[in-house]
Amino acid sequence: MNELVIFLQSLPEAFKIGFIYSIMVMGVYLTYKILDFPDMSVDGTFPLGGFIFAAFSLSSTGFFGITSPVMGLILAVIGGMIAGLITGALHVYLKINGLLAGILVMTGLYSINSRIVGMPNVFISPERSIYEIVSFEKNFIPFIIILVFLLILKGFYDYKIKANKYMFVSMGVYTVSTIVLIIYVALTKDVKLMLTVIIAFVIKMIIDYILTSKFGFALRALGNNEQLVISLGVNQKRLKIFGLMISNGVVALSGALFAQNLKVADLQSGVGTIVIGLAAIILGLGVLKKSQLINEISIVTIGSLMYYFIINLALMSNTWTKSLFQAIKLPDNLIQILEIKPTDVKIITAIILTIILWNEFAKKAKKGKKKLKKESGR
């Protein structure tokens, strides 16, 4: 019973991290699904965002006298976009393979990140953290107003691209989710979770708008058929670079928020970022299907939350699994090997990915067999 209470108490923090990572997942989605580009540089741009924000927070005068954490987040996004620009330039101008271009930038950023503040990890001052300057008393009502405004904005956006029945259902789901969030924050005063949701919501709306604009359609076309884009007279090189810049800028923003949440910018925080991003995308798309009710950006956001729910569940299961092993009288040395530890996050991710990918492969194989049977029966 105690284990269940502890697990439930840990869920808000897990969801907060899930929403922070969902911003990174949106960036990975742009390159992985839209551009069909295996961008490994995100393993470097994620901690880059954290270190740029750390450098900003350590400066007594901020940036040209501006000490607001918002400026630190903007600088992190700009730094990520520059990294994306370099990845794109290596690929389109120097003709380096996309995977290798990303690896080169990721490798270079490892050294650059450690030089930004002169050390591999650094404490972020609470006075400059966006999470520490907000409070329930000051910000709860303004945050509600922002959420209502975002819902209205989403309503106008959905009205243009969705049939009425899907629009009303989608708005209903978002409205209920917002009400639940407001009630939770009113009871717990956890305004940090509310702030994270607002930031993730804003980024989602921006990416939704980009992907349904002419620029977004050109990006989709570039990922599906590059030759077609070239034949239409579009500068595919510039388009690909812009796509990589947006993606890495979003990833760096996520890294800056993650560092503030932990209050530490760490060189190792970017290890496995691409794997987590792909896990969330594959998990979301494997469980939910794109429709007029829910688009893929929403799906990968939910996938990020599902991923961190599973990870949190696995890590919190340490106590009861240990009790189970002891109940069946396993030797202590074997229990030490079998018990789940925080360092097992990566292998849990690998197992989740393997199961989902195998399931997707099995579904495709089954569909292929049915199609062959139909064709042979004609």
Side-chain angles (χ1 to χ4, degrees):
M1 188 66 182
N2 288 337
E3 288 81 2
L4 178 61
V5 172
I6 293 169
F7 171 71
L8 292 174
Q9 289 175 341
S10 69
L11 278 182
E13 184 62 26
F15 282 134
K16 185 165 71 172
I17 295 172
F19 274 114
I20 290 172
Y21 265 109
S22 73
I23 298 169
M24 175 273 293
V25 172
M26 294 179 211
V28 173
Y29 171 82
L30 287 175
T31 51
Y32 174 66
K33 294 293 286 184
I34 301 298
L35 282 177
D36 193 25
F37 189 96
D39 186 16
M40 291 293 293
S41 62
V42 296
D43 274 27
T45 50
F46 186 81
L48 173 67
F51 276 103
I52 289 175
F53 191 91
F56 167 80
S57 70
L58 289 171
S59 170
S60 58
T61 56
F63 185 75
F64 291 111
I66 302 172
T67 57
S68 169
V70 176
M71 176 53 69
L73 293 175
I74 292 170
L75 292 174
V77 171
I78 292 171
M81 293 181 77
I82 292 170
L85 170 65
I86 294 169
T87 303
L90 289 174
H91 174 61
V92 302
Y93 294 120
L94 300 186
K95 308 299 180 184
I96 296 172
N97 176 274
L99 180 63
L100 291 175
I103 291 172
L104 287 172
V105 173
M106 175 190 72
T107 305
L109 283 175
Y110 187 87
S111 297
I112 292 169
N113 289 339
S114 64
R115 279 182 167 269
I116 290 174
V117 292
M119 55 188 78
N121 50 64
V122 61
F123 175 74
I124 291 177
S125 173
E127 299 84 43
R128 291 283 180 85
S129 170
I130 197 166
Y131 287 119
E132 300 303 322
I133 64 168
V134 297
S135 66
F136 179 81
E137 290 74 18
K138 286 193 307 180
N139 302 103
F140 181 56
I141 300 301
F143 283 175
I144 292 175
I145 295 169
I146 292 170
L147 280 171
V148 171
F149 174 75
L150 289 173
L151 280 175
I152 294 170
L153 202 62
K154 179 174 170 39
F156 282 117
Y157 173 79
D158 286 355
Y159 178 74
K160 289 186 176 181
I161 65 169
K162 292 181 180 179
N164 284 343
K165 63 176 182 179
Y166 294 112
M167 173 201 160
F168 289 127
V169 174
S170 177
M171 285 303 299
V173 171
Y174 272 89
T175 302
V176 170
S177 301
T178 302
I179 291 170
V180 170
L181 174 66
I182 291 169
I183 293 171
Y184 167 78
V185 175
L187 294 173
T188 63
K189 299 186 178 181
D190 185 8
V191 77
K192 293 179 184 179
L193 175 61
M194 199 175 195
L195 175 60
T196 307
V197 172
I198 289 171
I199 295 170
F201 198 176
V202 169
I203 299 302
K204 174 197 149 34
M205 291 290 292
I206 291 170
I207 294 178
D208 278 343
Y209 176 76
I210 289 172
L211 292 180
T212 51
S213 65
K214 288 182 180 179
F215 174 75
F217 287 126
L219 275 182
R220 290 180 186 276
L222 181 64
N224 290 327
N225 191 336
E226 189 169 335
Q227 292 304 314
L228 174 64
V229 173
I230 295 170
S231 66
L232 292 173
V234 177
N235 188 328
Q236 89 283 4
K237 294 179 179 180
R238 191 180 301 168
L239 195 63
K240 190 173 286 188
I241 288 174
F242 283 155
L244 287 165
M245 287 175 70
I246 294 169
S247 170
N248 282 277
V250 170
V251 171
L253 171 63
S254 177
L257 291 170
F258 184 74
Q260 289 172 79
N261 183 54
L262 291 182
K263 299 183 180 64
V264 174
D266 190 347
L267 203 58
Q268 299 300 318
S269 64
V271 176
T273 298
I274 186 68
V275 176
I276 294 170
L278 293 179
I281 291 169
I282 294 168
L283 181 60
L285 295 176
V287 175
L288 303 169
K289 299 297 177 187
K290 181 185 174 184
S291 67
Q292 283 190 289
L293 181 62
I294 183 169
N295 65 14
E296 288 195 352
I297 295 297
S298 297
I299 289 172
V300 300
T301 300
I302 294 169
S304 179
L305 297 177
M306 289 167 62
Y307 171 79
Y308 268 93
F309 176 83
I310 294 169
I311 292 295
N312 193 56
L313 179 63
L315 293 177
M316 292 298 292
S317 67
N318 174 270
T319 305
W320 65 262
T321 51
K322 193 172 181 179
S323 300
L324 176 64
F325 295 149
Q326 288 171 344
I328 59 177
K329 302 191 183 305
L330 288 179
D332 289 342
N333 58 345
L334 186 58
I335 291 175
Q336 287 181 352
I337 294 170
L338 294 176
E339 68 177 338
I340 298 172
K341 300 175 183 177
T343 50
D344 294 331
V345 169
K346 302 299 180 186
I347 195 167
I348 292 169
T349 302
I351 291 168
I352 292 170
L353 271 173
T354 302
I355 292 169
I356 296 169
L357 289 171
W358 172 80
N359 185 51
E360 288 296 305
F361 174 77
K363 282 181 182 178
K364 286 179 182 178
K366 195 174 182 180
K367 283 182 182 178
K369 285 179 182 178
K370 283 183 179 179
K371 191 176 179 182
L372 283 172
K373 280 183 181 179
K374 283 182 182 179
E375 289 177 352
S376 61
R378 287 176 182 174

